[in-house]
Amino acid sequence: MTFDALLNSAAQRLQLAGSPSPRVDAEVLMEFAAGRSRTWLYTWGDSECPTWEHARFDALVAARAQGQPVAYLTGEREFWGLPLATSPTTLIPRPDTETLVEAALARAGAPTGRLLDLGTGTGAIALAFASERPQWHVVGADIRPEAVALAAHNARTLVITNATFLVSDWFASLAAAPNGDAFDIIVSNPPYIAADDPHLGQGDVRFEPRSALVAEADGMADLLHLITQAKAYLTPGGWLALEHGYQQAPNVRQALEKAGYRSVESVEDMGGHERVTLGHLE
Ligand code: GLN
């Protein structure tokens, strides 16, 4: 069969299986199965697909039809233009999270500084920021050793040398200021989904680690923990920027204000939802 014919039938099959992006899924899986770029596939789509690549593609499409996320099947997802290795031990980087990177960059006017990313997962936020601010030092922390290994691997592959990663349960393994290392900016995309949210039973999130998605207290527990703890690890004037659910912005603003943060505001993501809220210390 030709590449085109295989892509068409796979896109149809994935559509029936309920994928929200059947054609793109098929193309990305074929790129991976055949080791060919999308441009190559568009140009040479009427050539015969060799048997081995055909078999590999069929197996990938079958797994995708069962609901497996494309990023776990190919082991890669692009974030902020950086190709990142992904694994089922961490959340798949999402385009919405680029809002958090933009908010942090907008507050990183000084030539040098230190940024901390808590719950770094693949390292997406830490590495995106580090790539834009080579004079800053970036620390990424995660409770899962597998995530820390993955983030460090991504830093090495991308030759981003101003980011380091460590295992820590939120702030537990960091030394508080003034004796420890204070940060000018602390960012996090913590778990913030309520345990009974029906969205947990749909799409890619079914295959992602629950510990990266779900938080107690209607999804607010980790956000509130970070808001109260971060103050001891920020420099004077330092910023805390948090990603949260699309209905959580008023609660997060209120918690930041109550904890004494200033200039508290929320930023919308590309879908027009308040997705990131931030404030700074005096
Ligand atoms: N935004 C993600 C989702 O809705 C959740 C990410 C998170 O909990 N940090 O699937």
Side-chain angles (χ1 to χ4, degrees):
M1 268 171 105
T2 66
F3 286 98
D4 280 341
L6 283 171
L7 285 169
N8 288 337
S9 75
Q12 251 168 30
R13 177 170 175 195
L14 294 177
Q15 177 148 34
L16 288 172
S19 163
S21 49
R23 181 79 207 179
V24 176
D25 290 0
E27 289 177 3
V28 172
L29 293 176
M30 183 58 96
E31 278 188 291
F32 182 68
R36 302 284 188 184
S37 70
R38 211 96 70 96
T39 317
W40 189 94
L41 292 170
Y42 291 146
T43 316
W44 304 104
D46 57 356
S47 56
E48 279 301 299
C49 178
T51 321
W52 167 241
E53 281 84 345
H54 184 161
R56 240 164 90 92
F57 180 65
D58 278 351
L60 289 161
V61 172
R64 177 60 183 148
Q66 298 295 319
Q68 292 275 351
V70 174
Y72 290 158
L73 293 172
T74 64
E76 190 175 288
R77 175 55 49 90
E78 198 171 287
F79 179 83
W80 201 267
L82 306 171
L84 298 173
T86 55
S87 100
T89 58
T90 71
L91 211 65
I92 300 165
R94 290 156 166 68
D96 285 343
T97 301
E98 296 193 349
T99 308
L100 181 57
V101 176
E102 279 162 12
L105 286 170
R107 271 92 190 160
T112 64
R114 292 169 52 83
L115 175 134
L116 172 65
D117 173 26
L118 290 172
T120 197
T122 58
I125 301 163
L127 294 170
F129 183 92
S131 73
E132 298 285 341
R133 290 286 184 279
Q135 304 305 320
W136 279 56
H137 186 72
V138 174
V139 177
D142 202 287
I143 192 170
R144 302 180 74 144
E146 310 93 306
V148 171
L150 184 67
H153 165 83
N154 279 324
R156 275 195 303 276
T157 310
L158 295 164
V159 200
I160 293 174
T161 54
N162 57 323
T164 53
F165 296 93
L166 76 141
V167 178
S168 181
D169 180 3
W170 298 133
F171 293 99
S173 304
L174 295 157
N179 302 322
D181 291 318
F183 295 90
D184 303 282
I185 305 178
I186 298 177
V187 296
S188 183
N189 174 17
Y192 54 68
I193 300 179
D196 59 359
D197 191 323
H199 158 230
L200 290 168
Q202 297 158 15
D204 285 2
V205 293
R206 288 172 297 164
F207 296 85
E208 293 181 295
R210 231 181 129 75
S211 63
L213 293 164
V214 174
E216 301 288 318
D218 272 343
M220 285 298 293
D222 292 302
L223 289 162
L224 296 177
H225 177 77
L226 293 174
I227 289 170
T228 49
Q229 297 287 304
K231 292 165 77 176
Y233 301 85
L234 284 167
T235 55
W239 285 89
L240 174 64
L242 297 167
E243 177 171 327
H244 51 68
Y246 73 106
Q247 290 169 318
Q248 289 168 326
N251 288 341
V252 175
R253 282 197 297 271
Q254 195 183 38
L256 281 165
E257 272 157 10
K258 200 170 145 210
Y261 292 83
R262 300 298 161 102
S263 314
V264 173
E265 60 169 316
S266 300
V267 187
E268 290 180 359
D269 62 20
M270 287 168 288
H273 297 116
E274 287 183 320
R275 178 64 60 193
V276 169
T277 296
L278 61 173
H280 66 78
L281 293 188
E282 285 210 83

